[in-house]
Amino acid sequence: MSAVERIKEISGVNPLKCMKCGKCSASCPSFDAMDIKPHQFVSYVINDDVEALANSKSAWKCLSCFACIERCPRDVQPGKLIDAARQMLIRQRGQEGLSPDEIPALLDDETPQQLLMSAFRKYRR
Amino acid sequence: MRRIGVFVCHCGSNIAATVDVKKVVEMALNEQGVVHAEDYPYMCSEAGQSRIAEAIKEKQLSGIVVCSCSPRMHEATFRKCAETCGLNPYLVEIANIREHCSWIHKDVEEATEKAVILMRAAVAKVHLNAPLQAGESAVTKRALVIGGGIAGIQTAIDIADAGYKVDIVEKTPSIGGRMSQLDKTFPTLDCSACILTPKMVEAASHENITIHTYSEVEKVSGFVGNFTVDIRKKARFVNMDKCTGCGVCQEKCPSKKPLNEFNRGLNTRTAIYTPFAQAIPNVPVIDPQSCIKLNTGKCGVCEKFCQVGAIDYTQKDEIITESYGAIVVATGFDTINLDKYGEYAYNESKDVITSLELERIMNAAGPTKGHLERLSDGKAPKEIVFIQCVGSRCSDQRGKPYCSKICCMYTAKHAMLIRDKYPDTNVTVFYIDVRTPGKNFDEFYRRAVEDYGVNYVKGQVGKVAPQPDGSLLVHGVDLLENKQILKKADMVVLATAIEPNPDVRKIATMLTASIDTNNFLTEAHPKLRPVESPTAGVFLSGVCQGPKDIPETVAQAGAAAVKVIGLLAKDKLKTNPCTAKADELRCNGCSQCANVCPYGAISYEVRQVNDHGIREDRRIAVVNSALCQGCGACTVTCPSGAMDLQGFSNRQIIAEVDAICR
């Protein structure tokens, strides 16, 4: 499976739905810290340049705040793409963050579980 | 035994590229009763039709099958061709090997096999077809237009000018519609009311037009040429014959709290009101929800001040029943509800408004008398941000997937007018694409940029955050500069998506007219029959069919009128002979068919029947073939199989299925 196919599979996103409105970049709190901007994630996937995306600063600057996922009018959800790129990189390095028996102790009713997962991928690298 | 001819069309390469037409011909000749089979590049052409005609004569064919496109395209063509050769048109069957076969398959072998099967089913059906004769029905020479906006008004005027009677039914107290709420119109910037009110007056004073305002369509029955419609005329509580429209009642009314719908709820009106100064008719209505007299029995101020005694608190809704030959739907649009778009703070700040609200603010008769001011504190805004595509082009669950079409142009108009009238006010437009197809449209947009200095920024806004100091912080992006933008604004205007008037669902159901997933009414053909509904006798005018601006609406309104006139000009319509019929020996009089019939075509009579030597009186269903439209609902409902549709009998359909499964 190509890197692009894997990104699509992990994220569940069809990047071709993007209409390049830029609402993700307008919403992103980490915009200034990123080298590749949220609205560009999609083009990198479409242009088969996943490696550049995975190796960009952006992959580790995304806060997983989900503002772009929440507001994307086309259901493209660039946050999911960058998360998938990050996850792919971690898997390549063999650094899958959590083992299943570690999870229950970390769960908190107040914290969205998805946020916990995203944060773990980033900070245990 | 019928002598059947099979004619296989290539449709250029449309069919022949995917279906082996020679093979279909070869297989047809193996079918029982087929005495002639041939293929031809274009069966619908004159040459193709003359080959059919020749074959009918030479081979004495008593039934034909044309393997071609959908019967919706050319069934009428081939039926006519058969009729000219003396063959009853209902002995013609179409096997649809284009839409149902070649267009949707890629594999030639499989497609050919399917085409052969479709041909075989049609041949099996023709064996059982009976010659049928079309009847006639009269046409009521009067049209109904539902909706009194510019679309409905224009359609009504055009029909009336051709000499036919037209009734307009309008839900609100006045005709005029959305256009009456607009301040100026693009791309010429002429005043909307100035060009609309002459049309309103023309409609009102036309001898062939009757206007029912404050009225709604309640029930529709019948069919093309013969609709019967119940119209609810809501109680106005004001006698239309006596009222002079002096307006004193509105000045004196002490109930001043209800929101003014005409001004989009930006200010209030009185309980007795006319929506706007140029309203037609210029007769107020009393809103029963907020009238003190109607709710508590005390007050009666309007009655006291009315010099002509026009106030009548005892008025009741009245239902009138009228007959029409044609019905035009012109129900228009509204802007979408913005509750799901929390990021734009529409419900949080009074200074975040929709473009339609801005129209009212800019209008001299609006809530601010035409002064551009913030609704929160009345201050003049110095920095205005326009956001495009709010709820349009959204494939998430919050908005609409289509482009609302009018927003790019009205935003350019608003921006230009503001820069013209208030040159020290800065205007920024955040856009995704600027779409300006139309005569003088792009030039208009460029004028906003080049002559009026409107700042266009490519990039959708992410969030509007109301600040403690009363300003609005706009989180945007400039995609061309690849920079995030934080812009402090005094006012934010949302180009809110438009959607069909919510009432259209109810109306479409009454008319059995189809609507799409966005509640727009469906055309009979998207290109070739754009103003007709697939339901005969129902026509479409204006935004109820799809987003469009005023010039397009007026053009479509005229087109709908022409179609109506074409229908009303006929004295008789040919009726479809494929109607239902009950088998008196099988019918048990259970009434289920009558309950499902949408046209009220089924009644019952007690008749003496001879059931295998036993004579008895039975209650039996009788179909009025003038009313029956051949929908087949009764045939599938009948528990004893007594109902049958001529031309589509149970036997014929089973024969087709048998042929397919053979």
Side-chain angles (χ1 to χ4, degrees):
Chain A
M1 191 189 282
S2 73
V4 173
E5 292 304 317
R6 290 209 50 194
I7 290 258
K8 285 187 198 166
E9 192 193 71
I10 296 170
S11 63
V13 163
N14 174 9
L16 294 178
K17 288 188 75 183
C18 176
M19 64 169 169
K20 305 195 181 344
C21 73
K23 198 170 184 178
C24 46
S25 280
S27 302
C28 184
S30 300
F31 183 91
D32 289 335
M34 290 185 175
D35 45 355
I36 299 173
K37 310 297 187 192
H39 70 276
Q40 297 171 308
F41 296 171
V42 170
S43 315
Y44 275 77
V45 176
I46 291 172
N47 297 334
D48 211 356
D49 200 0
V50 175
E51 214 185 305
L53 188 61
N55 292 324
S56 70
K57 268 199 275 177
S58 306
W60 311 107
K61 294 296 178 191
C62 165
L63 297 172
S64 300
C65 74
F66 295 166
C68 57
I69 292 176
E70 198 59 35
R71 294 180 193 156
C72 176
R74 304 292 305 172
D75 255 344
V76 178
Q77 309 176 333
K80 286 190 178 171
L81 285 177
I82 198 76
D83 190 45
R86 203 153 54 208
Q87 208 170 320
M88 216 172 70
L89 204 66
I90 293 167
R91 284 183 193 177
Q92 273 169 13
R93 294 180 187 154
Q95 292 175 319
E96 193 58 279
L98 286 167
S99 75
D101 44 326
E102 287 176 76
I103 296 172
L106 297 166
L107 290 182
D108 174 354
D109 289 346
E110 299 293 311
T111 317
Q113 296 185 15
Q114 207 171 353
L115 176 71
L116 194 74
M117 292 300 291
S118 302
F120 234 88
R121 282 185 208 116
K122 274 183 294 184
Y123 300 119
R124 275 193 59 169
R125 72 200 153 105
Chain B
M1 173 67 86
R2 275 204 201 293
R3 294 173 59 82
I4 297 171
V6 175
F7 302 87
V8 184
C9 181
H10 298 198
C11 195
S13 61
N14 277 303
I15 293 171
T18 323
V19 169
D20 180 351
V21 286
K22 300 280 181 207
K23 172 97 175 167
V24 180
V25 169
E26 186 194 318
M27 296 301 283
L29 288 167
N30 294 337
E31 289 298 305
Q32 202 189 17
V34 174
V35 294
H36 176 85
E38 64 173 303
D39 60 287
Y40 191 73
Y42 295 102
M43 271 303 167
C44 61
S45 67
E46 232 168 279
Q49 288 185 55
S50 62
R51 292 177 88 99
I52 297 177
E54 265 168 45
I56 292 175
K57 284 178 201 143
E58 272 174 29
K59 307 267 173 91
Q60 286 104 47
L61 301 180
S62 58
I64 64 170
V65 168
V66 186
C67 303
S68 60
C69 51
S70 162
R72 288 187 72 98
M73 298 295 297
H74 274 306
E75 188 176 60
T77 312
F78 296 122
R79 278 184 172 169
K80 213 173 205 169
C81 171
E83 203 172 11
T84 53
C85 309
L87 184 65
N88 184 287
Y90 293 90
L91 296 172
V92 176
E93 280 300 322
I94 307 287
N96 180 357
I97 60 166
R98 193 177 76 173
E99 285 85 343
H100 284 182
C101 187
S102 68
W103 275 0
I104 50 167
H105 296 296
K106 287 199 175 85
D107 187 86
V108 174
E109 208 172 303
E110 283 176 358
T112 306
E113 191 190 344
K114 182 168 172 183
V116 168
I117 290 170
L118 292 172
M119 172 274 295
R120 210 193 279 155
V123 170
K125 186 172 179 224
V126 167
H127 273 295
L128 301 173
N129 277 17
L132 299 172
Q133 297 301 333
E136 278 183 341
S137 68
V139 177
T140 307
K141 294 187 180 283
R142 187 185 192 98
L144 168 68
V145 175
I146 305 173
I150 182 61
I153 291 171
Q154 186 64 50
T155 303
I157 290 173
D158 289 347
I159 297 170
D161 278 347
Y164 296 101
K165 298 280 181 195
V166 194
D167 292 2
I168 299 177
V169 170
E170 164 60 41
K171 184 174 60 174
T172 70
S174 169
I175 57 168
R178 280 299 156 232
M179 190 175 168
S180 64
Q181 293 178 294
L182 307 183
D183 184 43
K184 301 276 193 297
T185 53
F186 61 75
T188 44
L189 296 181
D190 33 7
C191 146
S192 187
C194 309
I195 57 175
L196 175 65
T197 45
K199 291 257 180 211
M200 290 165 60
V201 172
E202 190 185 346
S205 56
H206 204 295
E207 55 175 9
N208 285 337
I209 298 179
T210 307
I211 299 175
H212 301 290
T213 53
Y214 214 46
S215 301
E216 287 180 53
V217 172
E218 189 97 345
K219 194 177 147 216
V220 179
S221 58
F223 53 95
V224 54
N226 291 280
F227 293 106
T228 304
V229 180
D230 286 357
I231 299 164
R232 176 182 291 272
K233 293 185 73 108
K234 290 180 277 187
R236 278 185 115 92
F237 303 106
V238 176
N239 186 324
M240 291 191 75
D241 298 327
K242 289 185 183 166
C243 175
T244 59
C246 71
V248 171
C249 53
Q250 300 178 58
E251 283 167 30
K252 302 292 180 189
C253 177
S255 170
K256 297 183 193 305
K257 288 210 180 100
L259 291 178
N260 184 337
E261 299 89 351
F262 188 75
N263 282 336
R264 304 298 290 178
L266 298 180
N267 64 353
T268 55
R269 56 162 169 80
T270 46
I272 185 166
Y273 71 104
T274 42
F276 55 104
Q278 304 94 323
I280 287 182
N282 186 20
V283 175
V285 298
I286 294 180
D287 161 11
Q289 257 86 53
S290 42
C291 173
I292 300 168
K293 173 78 177 180
L294 288 173
N295 283 296
T296 66
K298 293 180 197 130
C299 185
V301 168
C302 51
E303 189 181 30
K304 206 164 76 196
F305 280 94
C306 180
Q307 305 221 327
V308 292
I311 308 291
D312 176 5
Y313 299 116
T314 62
Q315 257 187 25
K316 295 259 174 328
D317 286 9
E318 186 194 347
I319 308 262
I320 57 170
T321 304
E322 298 280 358
S323 299
Y324 301 103
I327 298 178
V328 182
V329 188
T331 45
F333 71 96
D334 206 337
T335 53
I336 64 162
N337 181 299
L338 288 171
D339 286 353
K340 288 181 188 161
Y341 285 90
E343 67 263 39
Y344 296 128
Y346 175 74
N347 291 334
E348 279 174 68
S349 170
K350 278 183 144 181
D351 301 319
V352 180
I353 57 174
T354 67
S355 297
L356 196 50
E357 288 165 5
L358 182 66
E359 290 283 350
R360 296 313 304 148
I361 290 173
M362 305 273 281
N363 189 277
T368 60
K369 308 263 179 292
H371 298 293
L372 181 61
E373 55 190 53
R374 282 156 52 97
L375 293 173
S376 61
D377 54 15
K379 283 187 192 149
K382 292 290 160 214
E383 200 65 61
I384 302 184
V385 164
F386 284 84
I387 304 177
Q388 299 301 93
C389 299
V390 174
S392 298
R393 309 169 67 190
C394 289
S395 61
D396 60 4
Q397 298 308 305
R398 301 195 291 169
K400 302 290 174 187
Y402 50 84
C403 166
S404 294
K405 200 171 183 179
I406 53 177
C407 323
C408 285
M409 284 301 288
Y410 70 58
T411 296
K413 171 189 78 177
H414 288 153
M416 202 185 282
L417 289 170
I418 289 170
R419 291 285 297 156
D420 186 49
K421 214 168 159 191
Y422 309 94
D424 58 340
T425 297
N426 290 321
V427 176
T428 307
V429 179
F430 284 94
Y431 70 94
I432 304 174
D433 300 289
V434 177
R435 296 177 166 177
T436 52
K439 193 174 171 184
N440 294 325
F441 280 16
D442 203 63
E443 296 92 318
F444 182 80
Y445 151 60
R446 290 311 306 169
R447 256 169 69 205
V449 177
E450 293 166 27
D451 299 348
Y452 289 88
V454 178
N455 180 22
Y456 272 77
V457 179
K458 182 170 169 64
Q460 182 61 302
V461 165
K463 185 180 173 183
V464 176
Q467 301 297 298
D469 67 355
S471 67
L472 300 157
L473 193 60
V474 178
H475 295 246
V477 66
D478 185 333
L479 294 178
L480 299 179
E481 296 271 338
N482 217 4
K483 271 199 321 225
Q484 236 177 12
I485 294 176
L486 278 180
K487 192 167 196 70
K488 224 174 171 186
D490 304 314
M491 186 185 258
V492 170
V493 184
L494 308 176
T496 311
I498 59 171
E499 65 180 350
N501 194 304
D503 287 345
V504 80
R505 270 196 95 85
K506 207 172 69 194
I507 288 166
T509 309
M510 282 192 271
L511 295 170
T512 62
S514 51
I515 46 179
D516 66 18
T517 49
N518 297 310
N519 285 355
F520 287 114
L521 282 147
T522 317
E523 322 79 3
H525 189 284
K527 281 147 249 173
L528 302 177
R529 296 174 68 192
V531 297
E532 294 158 83
S533 160
T535 304
V538 176
F539 303 88
L540 317 174
S541 180
V543 181
C544 68
Q545 177 262 338
K548 50 182 71 68
D549 58 26
I550 295 168
E552 284 178 319
T553 297
V554 171
Q556 201 200 21
V562 168
K563 292 289 169 190
V564 170
I565 294 163
L567 171 61
L568 298 187
K570 295 191 178 98
D571 291 324
K572 299 269 181 197
L573 291 177
K574 278 210 163 155
T575 57
N576 172 15
C578 297
T579 54
K581 216 175 176 178
D583 177 343
E584 59 177 21
L585 289 183
R586 286 187 177 179
C587 177
N588 62 17
C590 72
S591 292
Q592 288 195 34
C593 54
N595 291 341
V596 296
C597 177
Y599 306 100
I602 301 174
S603 57
Y604 288 86
E605 65 179 37
V606 175
R607 207 191 287 162
Q608 195 183 63
V609 296
N610 182 346
D611 190 352
H612 301 88
I614 302 163
R615 285 176 187 279
E616 56 182 1
D617 285 345
R618 284 191 194 164
R619 185 171 180 268
I620 285 164
V622 182
V623 179
N624 179 340
S625 60
L627 295 176
C628 175
Q629 297 297 297
C631 73
C634 54
T635 63
V636 291
T637 308
C638 179
S640 44
M643 269 295 176
D644 227 347
L645 196 57
Q646 301 180 86
F648 295 91
S649 68
N650 296 337
R651 263 184 81 213
Q652 284 171 301
I653 288 165
I654 294 298
E656 284 186 282
V657 174
D658 279 346
I660 289 168
C661 299
R662 197 160 76 207

